[in-house]
Amino acid sequence: KENCEFCGLEIYSAYEKGIIVDENNWDGSDIFIIVGYPGYILVTERVKELIEKHKLTGVKFTPSHELKWPEGVIKP
């Protein structure tokens, strides 16, 4: 990620090595998103276990380090 201190422009990476959570900027929430990566809702292992225990459906878990930039989408 790059950001310009003068104009505020932010450019996010194409997360070729997955989405990395910067724990210094994370407030500790169990369910959260990362600005710049729309479409992904991140959860802690605790939430994952709760969803699996209660057999809730309509969700797919992918470890954040395994997420890859979608094919056909132009990288920044």
Side-chain angles (χ1 to χ4, degrees):
K1 173 183 157 179
E2 298 175 35
N3 107 12
C4 176
E5 65 182 89
F6 302 106
C7 72
L9 173 68
E10 291 184 310
I11 299 173
Y12 297 89
S13 76
Y15 59 95
E16 293 174 350
K17 297 179 182 176
I19 294 176
I20 308 301
V21 177
D22 179 356
E23 293 187 27
N24 293 322
N25 293 323
W26 175 46
D27 68 0
S29 298
D30 285 320
I31 302 172
F32 57 100
I33 61 168
I34 296 179
V35 174
Y37 301 101
Y40 295 106
I41 299 172
L42 300 161
V43 301
T44 61
E45 191 66 27
R46 183 167 73 173
V47 171
K48 178 182 179 280
E49 290 170 1
L50 183 68
I51 289 170
E52 291 174 337
K53 176 182 174 184
H54 292 282
K55 298 181 176 153
L56 302 177
T57 61
V59 64
K60 176 185 174 189
F61 296 107
T62 304
S64 62
H65 66 275
E66 292 180 10
L67 291 171
K68 300 295 178 211
W69 191 259
E71 286 191 36
V73 177
I74 299 171
K75 295 180 181 176

